[in-house]
Amino acid sequence: NAGRPMVDEAEVKIFADEGAMVSALEGGVIDIALSFPPREYERLKNSVGFLQGQAGANFYYLGLSVKVPPFDNKSVRQAMAHAMDRETMVQNVLFGVGAPIMSPFPEFSPAYFPEHNEMYPYDLDKAKALLAEAGQGEFSFTIPAPSGFPEFGKFAEILQADLAKLGVTVTIEPMDSAQWYPILIDGTYEATFSFAGGTQLYPTRISLSGNFPGTGNVAWPDGKAPQAYAEGLAEADATFDPEKQKAALKKMADSFMEEAWNLPLSFRTTLFAFSPAITGLDGGVYDQLRLDQVKKG
């Protein structure tokens, strides 16, 4: 690769506030911005360049702890899946940069099965019926809202309004990201919005996030995820035979959808924004910036 990279150096600036990052790009203080807020896309799409990251690299979801009632009841978890207005969340919070999903696996994944994306349409009547089936009356729970991910709190506000119609009270607890991370990692939440990824590479990489593995799963008592889910993960990783892998992935994905402890919402699309002076910008499969062909001028 003679002649690459084409720039001599790159200086990285860290912004604690995304508004300051946007202003820095508009003002010419920086040339490229990583994880640009989707709400600014429409306003700036004609004045700065945009590059979307790897498709399906990450996805937003609502995680429910099976260790605490009433989420230890599968029907209650499925009711929550029907109570999520994914379309409104994508349009009002992600500003259309994304699409509603119910399965965490993109369409090009061997673990994608179309029927899974039809399982939990937004339907408050169905949610109410499932709660009644579970014998679950009015209840309340708390969702943390970390400052570093403002979209989580906005997702929670939409869910809060819908669940109130079912007699369910949601308390949204703002906190610093430093407070939230241990809650997510240790599984001490009742419910939390978050995001995970890796499924664009191979489906079983989903198990690298703490509330997704087959064993040592922080969302389940004793760390034991559903047996069919755990077996499907292990069987898919134990063979190179495509047909056996497909069968194992179907077993895993069916169990994941049926048990409904992590409820996918939308793929989390990384936006790279850059000044008109920048050409040759590219991104990698992990959503990392690739600067080897970048020119400025």
Side-chain angles (χ1 to χ4, degrees), residues 59-62 77-78 80-87 90 99-107 111-123 206 212 252-267:
F59 63 93
Y60 289 110
Y61 67 92
L62 174 65
R77 300 195 301 272
Q78 292 177 343
M80 294 290 291
H82 281 292
M84 282 181 58
D85 188 351
R86 296 168 177 83
E87 181 68 40
V90 169
I101 60 170
M102 297 172 205
S103 166
F105 304 106
E107 290 186 10
Y112 175 79
F113 300 94
E115 64 270 24
H116 290 162
N117 258 340
E118 307 295 330
M119 282 184 65
Y120 298 112
Y122 174 58
D123 187 337
I206 197 172
F212 287 88
M252 177 272 291
D254 281 350
S255 177
F256 176 85
M257 297 299 297
E258 173 72 18
E259 294 291 344
W261 77 95
N262 288 325
L263 310 178
L265 186 167
S266 171
F267 287 116

Side-chain angles (χ1 to χ4, degrees), residues 16 43 49 54 90 121 128 145 191 219 244 262 288:
R43 183 175 71 85
Q54 167 66 41
V90 169
K128 184 176 181 179
K244 291 181 179 179
N262 288 325
Q288 74 273 35

Side-chain angles (χ1 to χ4, degrees), residues 7 12 14 18 22 24 54 59 78 108 117 119 132-133 144 155 190 205 244 251-252 282 296:
V7 292
V12 178
I14 307 299
E18 62 182 20
V22 173
Q54 167 66 41
F59 63 93
Q78 292 177 343
F108 56 80
N117 258 340
M119 282 184 65
E133 176 185 305
F155 292 151
E190 294 175 282
R205 290 181 65 87
K244 291 181 179 179
K251 179 179 181 179
M252 177 272 291
D282 194 9
K296 179 183 178 182

Side-chain angles (χ1 to χ4, degrees), residues 118-167:
E118 307 295 330
M119 282 184 65
Y120 298 112
Y122 174 58
D123 187 337
L124 292 182
D125 289 336
K126 179 65 173 176
K128 184 176 181 179
L130 283 165
L131 291 176
E133 176 185 305
Q136 181 62 53
E138 296 182 358
F139 66 97
S140 61
F141 65 95
T142 298
I143 297 179
S147 57
F149 303 100
E151 66 269 36
F152 293 178
K154 292 181 173 63
F155 292 151
E157 289 173 3
I158 294 170
L159 182 64
Q160 180 187 53
D162 281 323
L163 287 178
K165 301 171 186 176
L166 304 178

